[in-house]
Amino acid sequence: MTDDPIAAARADDRHTLTEAEGKRLLAKAGIETPPFAVCSSVEEAVEAAEEIGYPVVLKVSSPSVTHKSEWGGGAGVTVGVTSAEGVRTAVERIFETATAQDIDADVLVEAAMDVDAGTEVIVGGLRDPSFGPVVLTGLGGVFTEVFEDTSHRIAPIDHAEARAAIEELQAAELLAGYRGSEPGDIEALAEVVATVGDLVTDNPIAELDVNPVLVSADGAVALDALVVLDPDSAVNPENGTAAAEVDR
């Protein structure tokens, strides 16, 4: 069994990584994520929640479910769970919904983060047919499509260029500290932006969405990750790992 999430997906003939696989890919590249565990039973989820510490977030974990908050009439994501009973209720609902839809699913148990303590930012990457790898950043969370406040760069980029892209945003005022709020760690966010650019450049990734990245005075933490692989990328027959057809 490989510890490479992309190779694992390729071995299963999948083009979409689960959120957990996406977060492992980010963590391997140095991007911080909340503590989490992937569980296949109710009791396993309860044990994981006890170990991680309450409150926790519970999410459906399946490559078949890419928009978790919209799945199953709200069954896909439960936030702020503070007890074993709450974990059991949410996890049972996830498994029941998955069974009804004939989906093979696990449950991701994750430490809940205080989103009010920072600014939610989107960091994404894609492989454009004309320009090749591109990285973007902008106001994230529920505001991504409302304000369309984004900045784009052709990847790869260095830290200075990543910071320049951030400073172009209207949301830069929020990150710098607005009306007495504590400034976010823009240096940490710039590292995330540059790293996402490297990931899209160096791997067979068609799309990578990290939304949101919670930026606070304590750093930048990736709260969600969607990774879609390039179906036309090559695979190394010697070790089974995918190799990017990089267009620089």
Side-chain angles (χ1 to χ4, degrees), residues 4-227:
D4 181 347
I6 293 178
R10 289 296 197 213
D12 292 339
D13 197 26
R14 291 187 281 115
H15 298 316
T16 303
L17 273 61
T18 65
E19 179 182 340
E21 289 172 331
K23 284 182 172 174
R24 291 184 186 118
L25 182 69
L26 298 181
K28 189 175 180 180
I31 296 175
E32 183 179 356
T33 69
F36 70 86
V38 179
C39 305
S40 57
S41 71
V42 173
E43 290 308 316
E44 189 179 345
V46 171
E47 291 177 9
E50 298 284 348
E51 183 174 344
I52 290 170
Y54 295 106
V56 295
V57 179
L58 303 168
K59 305 177 184 179
V60 59
S61 179
S62 170
S64 301
V65 182
T66 55
H67 299 288
K68 296 177 290 294
S69 61
E70 302 169 6
W71 178 79
V77 179
T78 303
V79 302
V81 180
T82 58
S83 67
E85 181 181 356
V87 171
R88 289 191 178 92
T89 299
V91 172
E92 286 172 354
R93 186 182 178 197
I94 288 174
F95 285 144
E96 288 171 1
T97 304
T99 299
Q101 297 185 10
D102 196 24
I103 291 175
D104 185 15
D106 292 319
V107 172
L108 187 147
V109 182
E110 181 176 86
M113 306 294 290
D114 182 8
V115 296
D116 293 329
T119 301
E120 291 183 322
V121 175
I122 181 173
V123 180
L126 57 86
R127 193 169 294 277
D128 184 88
S130 298
F131 298 103
V134 175
V135 62
L136 69 88
T137 185
L139 192 61
V142 297
F143 299 111
T144 300
E145 297 179 0
V146 176
F147 294 104
E148 297 183 350
D149 179 23
T150 58
S151 178
H152 300 75
R153 291 292 190 279
I154 296 175
I157 61 174
D158 61 16
H159 183 92
E161 192 170 1
R163 177 162 184 131
I166 295 166
E167 292 173 346
E168 289 178 2
L169 300 171
Q170 296 178 39
E173 292 186 35
L174 296 176
L175 294 167
Y178 183 70
R179 292 190 175 181
S181 63
E182 197 169 17
D185 190 341
I186 296 178
E187 297 301 320
L189 175 58
E191 282 300 312
V192 173
V193 175
T195 300
V196 167
D198 289 340
L199 285 170
V200 176
T201 300
D202 298 335
N203 293 280
I205 295 174
E207 178 184 353
L208 197 170
D209 288 330
V210 190
N211 186 24
V213 176
L214 183 64
V215 184
S216 68
D218 297 324
V221 183
L223 302 190
D224 203 347
L226 172 63
V227 182

